[in-house]
Amino acid sequence: MFRPILALMQKEFLALMKDKKSRFTIVIPPIVQLLVFGYAATYDLTYVPLAVYDEDRSAASRELIARFTGSPNFQEAARITRQDQIAPLIDRKEVLVLVHIHPRFTRNLLTGKTGKIQVIVDGRNSNTAMIALGYVRAIVTRFNLEWVETHGGPTPPARLETRAWYNPNLESRWFIVPGIVGLLTLVVTMLVTALSVAREREQGTFDQLLVTPMRPVEILLGKALPGFIIGAGEATVIILLTVFWFQVPLRGDLLLLYIGLFLFLMSAIGVGLMISSLSVTQQQGLLGAFMFLVPAIILSGFTTPIANMPTVVQKITLLNPLRYFMVVIRGVFLEDAPLHLYLRQFWPMAVIGIVCLALAGWLFRHRIN
Amino acid sequence: MNRKAAPEKRKPSTRGGSLMRLRGLVRKEFLQIMRDPSSIAIAFLMPVSLLLLFGYGVSLDAEHVPVAIVVESPSRDTASFTGAFERSKYFDPEHYGAMRAAKQALRDHRVDGIVRLRSDFAQKLQSGATAPIQVILNGVDANTARLVAGYVEGVWTGWLSDRARQQGRTLEMPVEVDQRIWFNSEVRSRNFLVPGLIAVIMTLIGALLTAMVMAREWERGTMEALMVTPVTIREVILGKLIPYFVMGMGGLALSVVMALYLFEVPLRGSLWVLTAASALFLLVALGMGLLISITARTQFVAGQTAIIVTFLPAFLLSGFLFDIQSMPVVVQGITHAIAARYYVAILQTVFLAGDVFPVIWPNALALLVMAAFFLGVSRLKARKRLD
């Protein structure tokens, strides 16, 4: 039984690796993309162009402004003197945040009244806007605390002591980069599997394969294993880069990560082969790959939490193997999560994998146009 | 071989003949589209289903965040504080008797945070000392954690000022921020996500429609058959471009209608700017697909390349989710090669801010340059490839 599978595997590897362009496409881009995306994909803002409109021009207002310009998140891009300069700066995206200090600022501060400052933010990307506002509020809160300390005044009767587990500095890179591991692993398996049966069908060689004494299970294994080997190999390289290049802490058990990877690859390959054996042309295979890949990535919890989605969409995500792998990979990297949390992710991936692989094998013979 | 042959072929062709040939090619392409309905699915089914899924599915606005509340010695003061959490639409508080159980719930992902009032909370509050409120968040998803921290702060300040008012005082902070969020004052994340998704989806449509078509002709040998006819390369490319352009614009129109009427994203700019920019972007996307198709030689490699270069770069490097100015300089440089970047900037401005031409012109110019580049290189490569 093994000899024909080996032969088929060898043929699949040749088909993927013989063509220089195909070899290149499978090996190089995922690694380059990890490096690029790993740096690109962060919600933390390090360059917020800021405009200052100081009508007070006092020691206190200058001190407050210095806290903004001295912050690593803000970069002073303009200092304005008239109200009508505000709109063009923001409209043209020259600044993201404008801080406007009113002329009575210091007088109010010193007489115990509230000194108001107006902050205008470009809300075209409301997420970026809210993050920038968070930075503004943090600066003002600190200013307030220190002002009360030095100048006296009422202290609030209760204060928050906020701490974050697993990621004390709330670095979004620690969240995103392990997610990219899942993303790229999925892309690689799709590259290897989604077009493989479709191509043979289009070229007619699949019919030849079907008339050989090979059983569908053997064909299935011969088609699935190369994807498995390539996927596992690339995932390992990407995991190594995540740990040693991006220095994301790896706190949990690698064995659990690899069990998760094994099950995830099985389910992704199952989906890929199912799409491929459903398609009669490679164009259909490519369409199918995208119709799976794009929702799988966007609805995986990679960038936007599944908990924010409406209930119906949350139910749909239950069919998405990447969703489970994301929990496993983040659990192993950051949390060292309790075992039952992993088990809850493992079995759905296994079920998806087995069902899809079985369907793909069945389709080999039953989808003949 | 073709270099010599092409000029000779072109000479006898009159303008009318060229038009007729082009019409024939376009007709042939349409017939092929009808025969394999996957192109129609790409142009119309894909935008509708993806926008529906994402428009409803993708949201950065957290509500009903499950939090564990631990009150170590309940009193009227602690009840007034936890009541503020019960009333907030952002939280689904659950009461836990002991810190140990709450921590276990946080580890098990049953709650996203813990708010703990220690046993001396009421006493410190009454005595005038500052009473600490311990907040622990699951920081794995840093963005959500930061958002939740903001909500907690909102509940806390609301409670403080309510309390001060009940005691007949007002709570004066030295400096207070009066915030204005322009263009999206109610902070609906859908308002920027939907235009961004249109850019991502159009990238896919454009590239998917054309990525396979030239490779298919070469793979099947029909390209060489076309070459012995008086048809020129330019006509072949135009013949491919026109039908898919029409279909792509149809898909785009569907997406815009859905954005406006289903997701209620405001369109503050003008429709013609939106249409012109979209047409330009579609040309870039189709051109990129054509170039992939021509360089790849086989459909297999073309498909693989399309998967690699379209979706993830448009999703992560276009600035639709992640702020480009905060990326490292090298990565910022790379984003300039991503056409979706310019389109996202135009879309977010036209939808939410209006026709701000200082933003629109440079981005449209960049799109124009990219379209010229992709189509020009496609044409050059197609000619050379006929060996």
Side-chain angles (χ1 to χ4, degrees):
Chain A
M1 167 175 177
F2 290 108
R3 195 182 287 261
I5 297 178
L6 276 179
L8 186 57
M9 270 178 65
Q10 195 181 8
K11 181 226 127 200
E12 289 294 315
F13 267 115
L14 275 177
L16 285 168
M17 295 302 186
K18 201 190 65 194
D19 185 340
K20 203 176 78 196
K21 284 177 194 149
S22 173
R23 192 169 60 217
F24 177 84
T25 321
I26 290 171
V27 177
I28 305 297
I31 292 163
V32 174
Q33 290 197 331
L34 174 73
L35 294 177
V36 174
F37 298 158
Y39 282 110
T42 168
Y43 287 116
D44 303 331
L45 306 177
T46 51
Y47 181 94
V48 178
L50 172 84
V52 177
Y53 179 18
D54 182 5
E55 289 192 278
D56 189 45
R57 288 198 213 124
S58 64
S61 74
R62 269 196 294 275
E63 205 214 310
L64 182 61
I65 289 165
R67 282 165 192 255
F68 278 96
T69 52
S71 144
N73 306 110
F74 292 97
Q75 195 77 39
E76 186 176 329
R79 200 168 273 254
I80 60 173
T81 49
R82 290 195 321 273
Q83 186 81 24
D84 59 0
Q85 291 171 302
I86 297 176
L89 275 178
I90 292 194
D91 282 349
R92 291 175 191 172
K93 291 190 159 188
E94 281 166 36
V95 303
L96 185 78
V97 174
L98 178 126
V99 176
H100 179 186
I101 299 178
H102 297 287
R104 300 168 64 88
F105 178 74
T106 308
R107 203 185 315 163
N108 285 344
L109 258 185
L110 291 175
T111 53
K113 285 192 216 135
T114 295
K116 280 217 156 97
I117 63 170
Q118 188 185 44
V119 173
I120 298 176
V121 191
D122 176 355
R124 263 170 275 195
N125 181 330
S126 61
N127 193 50
T128 305
M130 293 314 281
I131 295 168
L133 265 178
Y135 296 155
V136 169
R137 264 192 243 113
I139 288 174
V140 170
T141 305
R142 269 199 70 129
F143 180 86
N144 281 345
L145 277 177
E146 288 173 26
W147 182 270
V148 168
E149 261 169 36
T150 50
H151 295 79
T155 49
R159 68 173 199 284
L160 296 172
E161 287 174 347
T162 307
R163 197 147 66 82
W165 275 9
Y166 310 126
N167 184 359
N169 297 323
L170 292 181
E171 276 187 53
S172 74
R173 194 158 283 144
W174 283 16
F175 175 66
I176 302 279
V177 174
I180 296 176
V181 175
L183 232 64
L184 292 176
T185 308
L186 182 67
V187 169
V188 170
T189 40
M190 280 294 126
L191 286 181
V192 177
T193 55
L195 296 176
S196 74
V197 181
R199 169 163 69 171
E200 296 216 33
R201 274 205 211 280
E202 191 171 328
Q203 295 175 347
T205 51
F206 202 68
D207 291 338
Q208 290 168 15
L209 202 58
L210 287 176
V211 296
T212 61
M214 284 186 88
R215 287 181 295 151
V217 181
E218 293 169 340
I219 301 179
L220 191 68
L221 280 174
K223 288 269 174 202
L225 285 174
F228 215 90
I229 293 166
I230 294 174
E234 291 216 25
T236 304
V237 174
I238 295 171
I239 289 168
L240 285 172
L241 279 173
T242 306
V243 176
F244 292 106
W245 183 274
F246 286 105
Q247 314 232 316
V248 179
L250 182 73
R251 297 182 176 130
D253 196 338
L254 261 181
L255 179 69
L256 288 166
L257 181 59
Y258 270 84
I259 295 174
L261 178 66
F262 174 86
L263 293 169
F264 174 63
L265 281 172
M266 188 170 93
S267 55
I269 289 168
V271 174
L273 282 178
M274 190 176 74
I275 290 169
S276 195
S277 36
L278 262 175
S279 322
V280 182
T281 62
Q282 293 182 69
Q283 166 109 16
Q284 290 173 4
L286 183 65
L287 171 66
F290 270 104
M291 285 305 278
F292 170 68
L293 200 60
V294 177
I297 287 171
I298 295 197
L299 302 179
S300 66
F302 165 57
T303 49
T304 59
I306 291 176
N308 295 0
M309 299 170 188
T311 324
V312 186
V313 182
Q314 287 195 31
K315 290 255 161 64
I316 297 174
T317 65
L318 294 177
L319 295 171
N320 179 6
L322 187 58
R323 164 205 169 127
Y324 305 104
F325 188 50
M326 284 288 172
V327 177
V328 173
I329 201 161
R330 284 172 179 151
V332 171
F333 265 101
L334 299 176
E335 293 168 59
D336 193 10
L339 187 66
H340 63 92
L341 202 69
Y342 297 111
L343 297 180
R344 278 214 308 265
Q345 321 300 323
F346 286 164
W347 72 262
M349 288 196 282
V351 170
I352 295 171
I354 289 166
V355 169
C356 290
L357 283 172
L359 264 174
W362 184 83
L363 282 166
F364 284 168
R365 279 195 185 283
H366 293 82
R367 175 104 163 103
I368 294 174
N369 54 322
Chain B
M1 170 191 122
N2 180 49
R3 277 185 179 229
K4 264 185 258 158
E8 282 170 316
K9 259 187 277 168
R10 233 178 267 150
K11 257 183 224 157
S13 68
T14 60
R15 192 167 273 268
S18 167
L19 259 181
M20 205 176 70
R21 284 198 300 274
L22 191 58
R23 225 172 53 199
L25 282 172
V26 170
R27 205 175 105 83
K28 172 223 145 212
E29 205 63 37
F30 266 121
L31 280 178
Q32 213 155 21
I33 289 167
M34 298 317 252
R35 221 184 304 148
D36 182 353
S38 60
S39 310
I40 299 172
I42 290 172
F44 299 105
L45 202 66
M46 202 160 88
V48 172
S49 53
L50 291 186
L51 257 187
L52 272 181
L53 212 51
F54 303 155
Y56 285 117
V58 178
S59 164
L60 289 159
D61 315 324
E63 278 182 23
H64 306 292
V65 178
V67 283
I69 297 210
V70 181
V71 178
E72 289 179 350
S73 68
S75 67
R76 235 184 42 207
D77 289 316
T78 62
S80 86
F81 183 75
T82 56
F85 271 91
E86 314 266 356
R87 284 189 299 276
S88 162
K89 68 168 179 170
Y90 297 116
F91 292 105
D92 272 349
E94 269 176 76
H95 288 269
Y96 282 78
M99 202 53 190
R100 212 165 52 89
K103 282 182 172 170
Q104 194 56 46
L106 187 62
R107 268 187 214 107
D108 292 349
H109 294 195
R110 277 179 282 140
V111 296
D112 288 343
I114 302 173
V115 177
R116 176 198 200 183
L117 302 179
R118 289 205 181 79
S119 50
D120 55 358
F121 179 75
Q123 180 211 332
K124 275 197 173 156
L125 203 62
Q126 300 295 345
S127 71
T130 306
I133 301 164
Q134 192 185 7
V135 179
I136 301 177
L137 300 171
N138 180 341
V140 170
D141 179 351
N143 195 46
T144 305
R146 210 171 261 137
L147 210 67
V148 172
Y151 296 157
V152 172
E153 238 178 85
V155 170
W156 169 70
T157 45
W159 174 74
L160 280 181
S161 58
D162 277 355
R163 197 183 140 81
R165 205 176 311 120
Q166 277 161 15
Q167 296 174 341
R169 297 183 288 114
T170 54
L171 186 80
E172 296 279 6
M173 289 293 200
V175 178
E176 206 167 84
V177 175
D178 166 27
Q179 63 187 45
R180 301 280 161 81
I181 298 155
W182 279 16
F183 311 128
N184 189 0
S185 50
E186 65 272 55
V187 199
R188 284 175 82 216
S189 62
R190 201 176 271 172
N191 282 4
F192 83 92
L193 288 174
V194 169
L197 285 168
I198 291 181
V200 172
I201 292 171
M202 290 311 293
T203 307
L204 296 186
I205 295 178
L208 279 184
L209 282 175
T210 47
M212 297 297 219
V213 291
M214 294 292 265
R216 188 167 56 199
E217 303 263 4
W218 262 299
E219 205 172 294
R220 293 180 179 169
T222 47
M223 196 61 174
E224 269 153 58
L226 263 181
M227 282 304 147
V228 297
T229 64
V231 171
T232 62
I233 276 286
R234 187 174 45 198
E235 287 162 6
V236 173
I237 290 183
L238 275 177
K240 297 279 176 200
L241 218 49
I242 292 169
Y244 293 114
F245 183 79
V246 172
M247 285 174 61
M249 285 308 278
L252 179 92
L254 259 179
S255 309
V256 171
V257 167
M258 282 174 72
L260 295 182
Y261 297 102
L262 197 60
F263 299 115
E264 296 176 334
V265 180
L267 178 64
R268 304 207 171 98
S270 54
L271 203 57
W272 79 264
V273 174
L274 181 64
T275 314
S278 303
L280 210 52
F281 178 71
L282 188 59
L283 275 183
V284 180
L286 289 171
M288 192 164 80
L290 269 182
L291 186 59
I292 290 173
S293 200
I294 288 167
T295 3
R297 190 179 291 248
T298 61
Q299 289 188 75
F300 191 66
V301 176
Q304 288 180 331
T305 316
I307 292 176
I308 290 278
V309 301
T310 54
F311 171 54
L312 285 182
F315 182 50
L316 299 175
L317 301 179
S318 64
F320 120 78
L321 267 183
F322 303 108
D323 185 53
I324 291 178
Q325 285 182 314
S326 294
M327 297 175 187
V329 184
V330 180
V331 180
Q332 283 191 39
I334 295 173
T335 64
H336 281 286
I338 310 292
R341 172 205 164 127
Y342 308 108
Y343 190 43
V344 165
I346 295 179
L347 281 184
Q348 284 183 350
T349 297
V350 171
F351 270 105
L352 299 180
D355 292 343
V356 185
F357 286 105
V359 175
I360 292 166
W361 282 129
N363 287 301
L365 189 69
L367 286 178
L368 191 69
V369 169
M370 288 188 86
F373 173 80
F374 281 127
L375 294 174
V377 175
S378 294
R379 187 162 178 237
L380 276 175
K381 285 238 170 193
R383 191 207 297 260
K384 277 190 200 146
R385 280 285 324 278
L386 231 141
D387 41 23

